[in-house]
Amino acid sequence: MRSRRKFLFKSLAGLLGWLGAPALFAHEATHFASRKSPKKTRPLVIATWNHGLPANEVAWHTLQSGGTVVDAVEAGVRVPEADPDVRSVGYGGLPDRDGHVTLDASIMGPDGRAGAVCFLEHIMHPISVARKVMEETPHVMLAGEGALQFALAQGFPREDLLTEQARQAWEKWKKTSNYQPVINVENHDTIGMLALDERGDLAGACTTSGLAFKMRGRVGDSPIIGAGLYVDNAVGAAVATGLGEAVMRTLSSFVVVEAMRQGRTPQQACQEAIERIVAWHGGHKPEFQVGLLAVDKDGNWGAWAIHPGFTFAVATSTGNELKRSGAMFA
Ligand code: ASP
């Protein structure tokens, strides 16, 4: 599996003409994110978790070939959506406790428009459906059966998204779970991506199969504008991963962007929003994880999490690098 993915990365990198960039294959070599943001960088793409690396490559290539920031984030997050080995996004995602893969996604562009789908089944690329909601309807979000009908009418194929691997994981979970949804620090791997182009335009995308073995019908933060994702082209953008319920209660992405509007750096804004989540939930070290990414219009970026272990990828003209976020309870 690993070697197949390495091969894919290499082929893709060759395609992009980035073979000379030393940091490109630094998958294992994580670097601690400094608390201070690095110097201004445009264009820039930043995405959550290890699967942010191959997603960034495609997003970057999209920007370099003249695509918009919306094109870039859509193309980027479609990579883990289609990857059966990514068990938290799209095809291959872990199902709900009844064995159904149900997907949430949102997208937001520099013009302030947004689109989202939630509780969507049978469609491999919910992010592209979310974009269609944004561009082809007067609405922001479509849910469940209605979202599926819309997707099929737009020409998206109906597919079975439950892979054999994910089905086996669900069968195993059923033996010990007592039918209880799982909440822990590890079980979160949504892809959230933010892109900034040379002119300073911003877009974001967020897509997930949500909490593994969740209750049927559960929707997380990822499709909620202001919770899992927020973009304000005048200020900056933010995206969240982790326990959706904690992010929804505190509208974390919106809080991060508002903090930047008041003059905080992206790094300070992420830290403030994480502190707020923890305070909101009693002020003690919580059982759950949340990770936040932010970028401002100049290409300063920030990342922070409740617990250690949150990785993310940053692509700039000098390469695409995996980094490890600092954490409140490190
Ligand atoms: N935020 C997602 C959710 O709660 C989970 C994740 O980040 O993996 O649905």
Side-chain angles (χ1 to χ4, degrees), residues 9-24:
F9 291 151
K10 282 192 178 168
S11 321
L12 196 55
L15 179 76
L16 306 187
W18 268 7
L19 277 170
L24 185 61

Side-chain angles (χ1 to χ4, degrees), residues 12-280:
L12 196 55
L15 179 76
L16 306 187
W18 268 7
L19 277 170
L24 185 61
F25 299 121
H27 300 116
E28 323 300 339
T30 55
H31 303 268
F32 282 88
S34 77
R35 287 178 185 228
K36 279 182 81 185
S37 291
K39 63 180 192 304
K40 296 179 181 184
T41 319
R42 287 200 322 218
L44 176 140
V45 180
I46 187 166
T48 56
W49 302 111
N50 296 15
H51 49 238
L53 267 178
N56 274 2
E57 288 171 25
V58 170
W60 183 266
H61 178 60
T62 306
L63 279 182
Q64 295 307 300
S65 12
T68 66
V69 274
V70 172
D71 296 334
V73 293
E74 180 193 7
V77 303
R78 281 173 62 98
V79 175
E81 279 185 343
D83 185 343
D85 296 333
V86 177
R87 309 245 294 226
S88 47
V89 182
Y91 177 56
L94 290 170
D96 66 15
R97 65 183 186 176
D98 295 341
H100 305 281
V101 179
T102 71
L103 306 175
D104 299 336
S106 63
I107 192 162
M108 197 164 181
D111 55 4
R113 288 194 301 167
V117 289
C118 66
F119 193 40
L120 174 64
E121 295 179 69
H122 306 302
I123 302 292
M124 188 174 297
H125 291 298
I127 197 65
S128 298
V129 186
R131 184 173 179 176
K132 289 281 185 199
V133 172
M134 175 170 82
E135 291 177 347
E136 308 291 334
T137 83
H139 305 306
V140 170
M141 184 187 286
L142 293 177
E145 188 57 32
L148 175 61
Q149 271 175 29
F150 172 73
L152 296 174
Q154 290 287 327
F156 291 88
R158 184 188 176 105
E159 298 181 76
D160 181 6
L161 304 180
L162 186 66
T163 58
E164 184 49 29
Q165 246 190 342
R167 197 189 58 73
Q168 279 175 17
W170 170 62
E171 296 287 358
K172 192 169 159 208
W173 172 83
K174 274 199 298 185
K175 284 192 191 127
T176 50
S177 69
N178 226 359
Y179 206 53
Q180 294 296 320
V182 192
I183 290 184
N184 63 26
V185 180
E186 274 96 38
N187 218 349
H188 307 287
D189 277 344
T190 292
I191 181 135
M193 176 182 280
L194 307 171
L196 172 73
D197 69 12
E198 226 144 49
R199 294 181 313 174
D201 274 344
L202 283 157
C206 191
T207 175
T208 189
S209 52
L211 206 56
F213 317 127
K214 60 198 173 185
M215 289 175 69
R216 180 140 179 83
R218 182 266 188 188
V219 169
D221 59 313
S222 307
I224 311 288
I225 300 300
L229 171 68
Y230 198 66
V231 176
D232 182 334
N233 209 46
V235 178
V239 74
T241 179
L243 183 68
E245 284 72 5
V247 176
M248 290 156 90
R249 288 183 193 112
T250 51
L251 282 185
S252 304
S253 293
F254 183 72
V255 164
V256 170
V257 172
E258 287 308 296
M260 289 193 285
R261 191 194 307 283
Q262 287 160 23
R264 310 291 192 283
T265 65
Q267 185 60 40
Q268 289 167 338
C270 288
Q271 292 184 210
E272 271 189 26
I274 289 289
E275 278 160 25
R276 186 176 300 187
I277 293 170
V278 171
W280 198 269

